[in-house]
């Protein structure tokens, strides 16, 4: 993370549904920076986990799992809707 320079161009190139999860106590990627990153990604969804730092998977595994599961289920619904529309 310390070597991260401006990834603006890379973030703007992401063109698929993207889930951005941040901890509100993250010192490496402060929420303000994370939100700016998310804004550069088309079709992104941002979730913030409270009382959590940078190591989300270790600090708040249950909450993260729930958020990821909901996102995947939403993508499956979108995919099914798109497939239904293609059959018309």
């Amino acid at each position: 993370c310390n070597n991260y320079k401006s990834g603006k161009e890379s973030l703007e190139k992401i063109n698929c549904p993207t889930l951005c999860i941040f901890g509100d106590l993250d010192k490496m990627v402060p929420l303000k920076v994370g939100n700016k990153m998310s804004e550069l990604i088309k079709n992104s969804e941002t979730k913030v986990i409270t009382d959590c730092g940078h190591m989300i998977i270790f600090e708040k595994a249950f909450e993260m799992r729930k958020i990821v599961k909901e996102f995947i289920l939403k993508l499956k619904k979108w995919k099914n809707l798109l497939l239904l529309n293609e059959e018309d």
Side-chain angles (χ1 to χ4, degrees):
C1 290
N2 292 335
N3 291 327
Y4 181 82
K5 298 197 180 2
S6 175
K8 182 178 185 279
E9 297 83 17
S10 296
L11 294 171
E12 290 173 335
K13 290 179 184 177
I14 298 172
N15 197 23
C16 63
T18 304
L19 175 61
C20 302
I21 306 173
F22 302 103
D24 66 342
L25 303 177
D26 193 333
K27 303 272 191 238
M28 293 184 78
V29 182
L31 194 52
K32 182 178 173 181
V33 174
N35 285 330
K36 286 181 183 178
M37 292 170 62
S38 297
E39 289 172 8
L40 295 172
I41 302 172
K42 298 176 199 95
N43 301 313
S44 69
E45 182 176 326
T46 303
K47 297 289 183 180
V48 178
I49 298 179
T50 57
D51 300 319
C52 187
H54 191 71
M55 302 296 285
I56 298 168
I57 191 71
F58 299 113
E59 296 176 48
K60 299 281 186 159
F62 180 78
E63 290 90 335
M64 182 177 170
R65 178 188 170 278
K66 181 179 177 199
I67 291 169
V68 171
K69 182 179 179 181
E70 289 171 357
F71 182 74
I72 291 170
L73 291 173
K74 190 185 314 181
L75 289 180
K76 285 183 177 182
K77 286 180 186 177
W78 289 341
K79 181 181 174 189
N80 289 337
L81 288 173
L82 290 173
L83 292 174
L84 287 174
N85 289 333
E86 287 178 4
E87 293 175 2
D88 293 337

